[in-house]
Short mmCIF file of all heavy atoms in Angstrom, two decimals:
data_model
loop_
_atom_site.label_atom_id
_atom_site.label_comp_id
_atom_site.label_asym_id
_atom_site.label_seq_id
_atom_site.Cartn_x
_atom_site.Cartn_y
_atom_site.Cartn_z
N VAL A 25 67.41 77.61 -4.30
CA VAL A 25 66.93 77.40 -2.94
C VAL A 25 66.08 78.58 -2.47
O VAL A 25 65.10 78.40 -1.72
CB VAL A 25 68.12 77.14 -1.97
CG1 VAL A 25 69.00 78.38 -1.83
CG2 VAL A 25 67.61 76.67 -0.63
N ILE A 26 66.41 79.80 -2.90
CA ILE A 26 65.61 80.96 -2.52
C ILE A 26 64.24 80.89 -3.18
O ILE A 26 63.21 81.10 -2.53
CB ILE A 26 66.33 82.27 -2.91
CG1 ILE A 26 67.61 82.44 -2.07
CG2 ILE A 26 65.41 83.48 -2.73
CD1 ILE A 26 68.45 83.65 -2.46
N ILE A 27 64.21 80.59 -4.46
CA ILE A 27 62.94 80.48 -5.18
C ILE A 27 62.08 79.38 -4.56
O ILE A 27 60.87 79.55 -4.36
CB ILE A 27 63.17 80.19 -6.68
CG1 ILE A 27 63.85 81.38 -7.35
CG2 ILE A 27 61.84 79.87 -7.38
CD1 ILE A 27 63.05 82.65 -7.37
N ASP A 28 62.69 78.26 -4.22
CA ASP A 28 61.93 77.15 -3.66
C ASP A 28 61.33 77.53 -2.31
O ASP A 28 60.19 77.15 -1.99
CB ASP A 28 62.84 75.92 -3.51
CG ASP A 28 62.07 74.62 -3.58
OD1 ASP A 28 60.91 74.62 -4.08
OD2 ASP A 28 62.60 73.60 -3.12
N ALA A 29 62.07 78.29 -1.51
CA ALA A 29 61.56 78.72 -0.20
C ALA A 29 60.38 79.67 -0.36
O ALA A 29 59.36 79.54 0.32
CB ALA A 29 62.68 79.37 0.61
N VAL A 30 60.51 80.64 -1.26
CA VAL A 30 59.41 81.59 -1.49
C VAL A 30 58.20 80.86 -2.06
O VAL A 30 57.06 81.08 -1.63
CB VAL A 30 59.86 82.73 -2.44
CG1 VAL A 30 58.68 83.62 -2.80
CG2 VAL A 30 60.97 83.55 -1.80
N ARG A 31 58.43 79.99 -3.00
CA ARG A 31 57.36 79.20 -3.62
C ARG A 31 56.59 78.38 -2.59
O ARG A 31 55.38 78.21 -2.69
CB ARG A 31 57.98 78.28 -4.67
CG ARG A 31 57.01 77.41 -5.45
CD ARG A 31 57.78 76.42 -6.30
NE ARG A 31 58.30 75.31 -5.52
CZ ARG A 31 57.65 74.17 -5.29
NH1 ARG A 31 56.44 74.00 -5.80
NH2 ARG A 31 58.21 73.22 -4.58
N SER A 32 57.31 77.90 -1.60
CA SER A 32 56.73 77.00 -0.60
C SER A 32 56.06 77.72 0.56
O SER A 32 55.23 77.14 1.26
CB SER A 32 57.82 76.08 -0.04
OG SER A 32 58.41 75.32 -1.06
N MET A 33 56.40 79.02 0.78
CA MET A 33 55.97 79.67 2.01
C MET A 33 55.23 80.98 1.83
O MET A 33 54.56 81.45 2.76
CB MET A 33 57.20 79.91 2.90
CG MET A 33 57.93 78.64 3.29
SD MET A 33 59.34 78.93 4.38
CE MET A 33 58.48 79.40 5.89
N ALA A 34 55.31 81.62 0.67
CA ALA A 34 54.71 82.95 0.48
C ALA A 34 53.22 82.83 0.17
O ALA A 34 52.84 82.31 -0.89
CB ALA A 34 55.42 83.71 -0.62
N SER A 35 52.38 83.33 1.06
CA SER A 35 50.93 83.20 0.85
C SER A 35 50.45 83.95 -0.38
O SER A 35 49.49 83.54 -1.02
CB SER A 35 50.19 83.70 2.10
OG SER A 35 50.46 85.06 2.35
N GLY A 36 51.12 85.06 -0.72
CA GLY A 36 50.73 85.82 -1.91
C GLY A 36 50.96 85.08 -3.19
O GLY A 36 50.40 85.44 -4.23
N PHE A 37 51.78 84.05 -3.16
CA PHE A 37 51.97 83.16 -4.29
C PHE A 37 51.09 81.94 -4.21
O PHE A 37 50.47 81.53 -5.20
CB PHE A 37 53.44 82.72 -4.38
CG PHE A 37 53.70 81.68 -5.44
CD1 PHE A 37 53.79 82.02 -6.77
CD2 PHE A 37 53.84 80.33 -5.10
CE1 PHE A 37 54.02 81.08 -7.75
CE2 PHE A 37 54.06 79.36 -6.07
CZ PHE A 37 54.15 79.73 -7.40
N ILE A 38 50.98 81.37 -3.02
CA ILE A 38 50.28 80.09 -2.85
C ILE A 38 48.78 80.20 -3.05
O ILE A 38 48.17 79.37 -3.73
CB ILE A 38 50.59 79.52 -1.44
CG1 ILE A 38 52.07 79.19 -1.30
CG2 ILE A 38 49.74 78.27 -1.18
CD1 ILE A 38 52.50 78.86 0.13
N PHE A 39 48.17 81.23 -2.46
CA PHE A 39 46.72 81.27 -2.35
C PHE A 39 46.04 82.19 -3.36
O PHE A 39 45.08 82.89 -3.03
CB PHE A 39 46.32 81.68 -0.92
CG PHE A 39 46.76 80.71 0.12
CD1 PHE A 39 47.84 81.02 0.95
CD2 PHE A 39 46.14 79.49 0.27
CE1 PHE A 39 48.26 80.12 1.93
CE2 PHE A 39 46.55 78.59 1.24
CZ PHE A 39 47.62 78.90 2.07
N THR A 40 46.51 82.18 -4.60
CA THR A 40 45.85 82.99 -5.62
C THR A 40 45.94 82.29 -6.97
O THR A 40 46.89 81.54 -7.23
CB THR A 40 46.48 84.40 -5.71
OG1 THR A 40 45.69 85.24 -6.56
CG2 THR A 40 47.90 84.34 -6.26
N THR A 41 44.95 82.53 -7.80
CA THR A 41 44.94 81.96 -9.14
C THR A 41 46.11 82.52 -9.95
O THR A 41 46.41 83.72 -9.88
CB THR A 41 43.61 82.29 -9.85
OG1 THR A 41 42.55 81.73 -9.09
CG2 THR A 41 43.58 81.72 -11.25
N SER A 42 46.76 81.70 -10.71
CA SER A 42 47.91 82.14 -11.51
C SER A 42 47.46 82.97 -12.70
O SER A 42 46.28 82.97 -13.08
CB SER A 42 48.70 80.92 -12.00
OG SER A 42 47.90 80.11 -12.85
N ILE A 43 48.40 83.70 -13.28
CA ILE A 43 48.06 84.53 -14.44
C ILE A 43 47.57 83.63 -15.58
O ILE A 43 47.95 82.45 -15.68
CB ILE A 43 49.26 85.37 -14.91
CG1 ILE A 43 50.43 84.50 -15.38
CG2 ILE A 43 49.69 86.34 -13.81
CD1 ILE A 43 51.58 85.28 -16.02
N PRO A 44 46.71 84.14 -16.46
CA PRO A 44 46.18 83.32 -17.56
C PRO A 44 47.29 82.81 -18.47
O PRO A 44 48.32 83.48 -18.65
CB PRO A 44 45.27 84.29 -18.32
CG PRO A 44 44.89 85.33 -17.31
CD PRO A 44 46.10 85.48 -16.43
N PRO A 45 47.11 81.65 -19.07
CA PRO A 45 48.10 81.12 -20.01
C PRO A 45 48.42 82.10 -21.14
O PRO A 45 49.58 82.23 -21.55
CB PRO A 45 47.44 79.85 -20.56
CG PRO A 45 46.46 79.44 -19.51
CD PRO A 45 45.98 80.71 -18.88
N SER A 46 47.39 82.81 -21.61
CA SER A 46 47.61 83.77 -22.71
C SER A 46 48.50 84.92 -22.27
O SER A 46 49.31 85.43 -23.05
CB SER A 46 46.27 84.31 -23.21
OG SER A 46 45.54 84.90 -22.15
N THR A 47 48.37 85.35 -21.02
CA THR A 47 49.23 86.40 -20.49
C THR A 47 50.67 85.91 -20.41
O THR A 47 51.62 86.63 -20.80
CB THR A 47 48.75 86.84 -19.10
OG1 THR A 47 47.43 87.35 -19.21
CG2 THR A 47 49.65 87.90 -18.51
N ALA A 48 50.86 84.71 -19.92
CA ALA A 48 52.21 84.12 -19.85
C ALA A 48 52.81 83.98 -21.25
O ALA A 48 54.00 84.25 -21.46
CB ALA A 48 52.17 82.78 -19.14
N ALA A 49 51.98 83.57 -22.21
CA ALA A 49 52.47 83.40 -23.58
C ALA A 49 52.86 84.74 -24.20
O ALA A 49 53.91 84.83 -24.88
CB ALA A 49 51.40 82.73 -24.43
N GLY A 50 52.06 85.76 -23.97
CA GLY A 50 52.39 87.08 -24.49
C GLY A 50 53.65 87.63 -23.86
O GLY A 50 54.51 88.22 -24.54
N ALA A 51 53.78 87.45 -22.55
CA ALA A 51 54.99 87.92 -21.86
C ALA A 51 56.23 87.17 -22.35
O ALA A 51 57.30 87.78 -22.55
CB ALA A 51 54.82 87.74 -20.35
N LEU A 52 56.08 85.86 -22.54
CA LEU A 52 57.20 85.06 -23.04
C LEU A 52 57.68 85.57 -24.39
O LEU A 52 58.89 85.74 -24.62
CB LEU A 52 56.76 83.59 -23.14
CG LEU A 52 57.76 82.61 -23.77
CD1 LEU A 52 59.02 82.52 -22.93
CD2 LEU A 52 57.11 81.23 -23.92
N ARG A 53 56.74 85.85 -25.28
CA ARG A 53 57.10 86.36 -26.60
C ARG A 53 57.77 87.73 -26.49
O ARG A 53 58.76 88.02 -27.17
CB ARG A 53 55.86 86.45 -27.49
CG ARG A 53 56.13 86.91 -28.92
CD ARG A 53 56.95 85.90 -29.71
NE ARG A 53 56.26 84.63 -29.81
CZ ARG A 53 55.34 84.33 -30.73
NH1 ARG A 53 55.01 85.22 -31.66
NH2 ARG A 53 54.76 83.14 -30.74
N SER A 54 57.24 88.57 -25.63
CA SER A 54 57.77 89.92 -25.46
C SER A 54 59.21 89.87 -24.92
O SER A 54 60.09 90.59 -25.41
CB SER A 54 56.87 90.72 -24.51
OG SER A 54 57.26 92.07 -24.47
N VAL A 55 59.44 89.05 -23.91
CA VAL A 55 60.80 88.91 -23.36
C VAL A 55 61.77 88.43 -24.42
O VAL A 55 62.89 88.95 -24.55
CB VAL A 55 60.80 87.96 -22.14
CG1 VAL A 55 62.22 87.67 -21.68
CG2 VAL A 55 59.98 88.54 -21.00
N LYS A 56 61.35 87.44 -25.20
CA LYS A 56 62.22 86.91 -26.25
C LYS A 56 62.54 87.96 -27.29
O LYS A 56 63.69 88.06 -27.76
CB LYS A 56 61.55 85.69 -26.90
CG LYS A 56 61.59 84.44 -26.05
CD LYS A 56 61.02 83.25 -26.82
CE LYS A 56 61.22 81.94 -26.07
NZ LYS A 56 60.71 80.78 -26.83
N ILE A 57 61.54 88.75 -27.68
CA ILE A 57 61.76 89.79 -28.70
C ILE A 57 62.77 90.83 -28.20
O ILE A 57 63.73 91.18 -28.90
CB ILE A 57 60.43 90.48 -29.07
CG1 ILE A 57 59.54 89.51 -29.85
CG2 ILE A 57 60.69 91.75 -29.90
CD1 ILE A 57 58.12 90.04 -30.07
N LEU A 58 62.55 91.30 -26.97
CA LEU A 58 63.42 92.37 -26.46
C LEU A 58 64.82 91.88 -26.14
O LEU A 58 65.75 92.69 -26.06
CB LEU A 58 62.77 93.03 -25.24
CG LEU A 58 61.52 93.85 -25.55
CD1 LEU A 58 60.96 94.47 -24.28
CD2 LEU A 58 61.83 94.95 -26.58
N LYS A 59 64.98 90.58 -25.95
CA LYS A 59 66.34 90.05 -25.76
C LYS A 59 67.21 90.29 -26.99
O LYS A 59 68.43 90.50 -26.87
CB LYS A 59 66.28 88.55 -25.47
CG LYS A 59 66.06 88.18 -24.01
CD LYS A 59 66.19 86.67 -23.84
CE LYS A 59 66.15 86.27 -22.37
NZ LYS A 59 66.30 84.82 -22.19
N VAL A 60 66.61 90.26 -28.16
CA VAL A 60 67.39 90.33 -29.41
C VAL A 60 67.10 91.60 -30.20
O VAL A 60 67.56 91.72 -31.35
CB VAL A 60 67.11 89.09 -30.29
CG1 VAL A 60 67.54 87.82 -29.57
CG2 VAL A 60 65.63 88.99 -30.68
N LYS A 61 66.38 92.55 -29.62
CA LYS A 61 66.04 93.80 -30.32
C LYS A 61 66.53 95.00 -29.52
O LYS A 61 65.72 95.82 -29.05
CB LYS A 61 64.54 93.88 -30.56
CG LYS A 61 63.97 92.84 -31.49
CD LYS A 61 64.33 93.15 -32.95
CE LYS A 61 63.61 92.18 -33.90
NZ LYS A 61 63.96 92.46 -35.30
N PRO A 62 67.84 95.18 -29.37
CA PRO A 62 68.33 96.32 -28.61
C PRO A 62 67.99 97.66 -29.23
O PRO A 62 67.99 98.69 -28.55
CB PRO A 62 69.85 96.10 -28.56
CG PRO A 62 70.14 95.25 -29.77
CD PRO A 62 68.94 94.35 -29.91
N GLU A 63 67.69 97.66 -30.54
CA GLU A 63 67.36 98.93 -31.20
C GLU A 63 66.12 99.58 -30.59
O GLU A 63 66.00 100.82 -30.63
CB GLU A 63 67.16 98.72 -32.70
CG GLU A 63 66.03 97.76 -33.08
CD GLU A 63 66.50 96.32 -33.25
OE1 GLU A 63 67.55 95.96 -32.66
OE2 GLU A 63 65.79 95.57 -33.93
N LYS A 64 65.22 98.79 -30.01
CA LYS A 64 64.07 99.37 -29.35
C LYS A 64 64.50 100.15 -28.11
O LYS A 64 63.96 101.22 -27.82
CB LYS A 64 63.06 98.28 -28.96
CG LYS A 64 62.36 97.61 -30.12
CD LYS A 64 61.35 96.59 -29.65
CE LYS A 64 60.64 95.93 -30.82
NZ LYS A 64 59.75 96.85 -31.55
N ARG A 65 65.48 99.63 -27.39
CA ARG A 65 66.01 100.34 -26.23
C ARG A 65 66.75 101.60 -26.64
O ARG A 65 66.63 102.65 -25.99
CB ARG A 65 66.93 99.40 -25.43
CG ARG A 65 66.19 98.32 -24.68
CD ARG A 65 67.12 97.49 -23.82
NE ARG A 65 67.84 96.46 -24.59
CZ ARG A 65 67.31 95.31 -24.97
NH1 ARG A 65 66.05 95.02 -24.66
NH2 ARG A 65 68.01 94.42 -25.63
N PHE A 66 67.53 101.52 -27.73
CA PHE A 66 68.26 102.70 -28.19
C PHE A 66 67.30 103.82 -28.59
O PHE A 66 67.50 104.99 -28.24
CB PHE A 66 69.15 102.33 -29.39
CG PHE A 66 70.16 101.25 -29.11
CD1 PHE A 66 70.62 100.43 -30.13
CD2 PHE A 66 70.66 101.04 -27.82
CE1 PHE A 66 71.55 99.44 -29.88
CE2 PHE A 66 71.59 100.05 -27.56
CZ PHE A 66 72.04 99.24 -28.60
#
């Protein structure tokens, strides 16, 4: 419900072009890698 409210009312989200698909894809891969690679954090 919080996400839906921000999504529906925040002008900084509504009125701007979204990040490129390639950026989202790279971020997705990075998040997935770091989820299972704690040795990088160590």
Side-chain angles (χ1 to χ4, degrees):
V25 67
I26 294 176
I27 294 296
D28 208 18
V30 174
R31 181 187 77 90
S32 301
M33 300 182 70
S35 61
F37 173 78
I38 296 169
F39 297 105
T40 189
T41 300
S42 62
I43 63 172
S46 57
T47 299
L52 175 63
R53 183 67 60 85
S54 187
V55 172
K56 285 185 172 182
I57 290 171
L58 291 181
K59 274 186 173 181
V60 298
K61 295 285 187 180
E63 61 269 22
K64 291 183 180 291
R65 288 184 280 281
F66 301 153

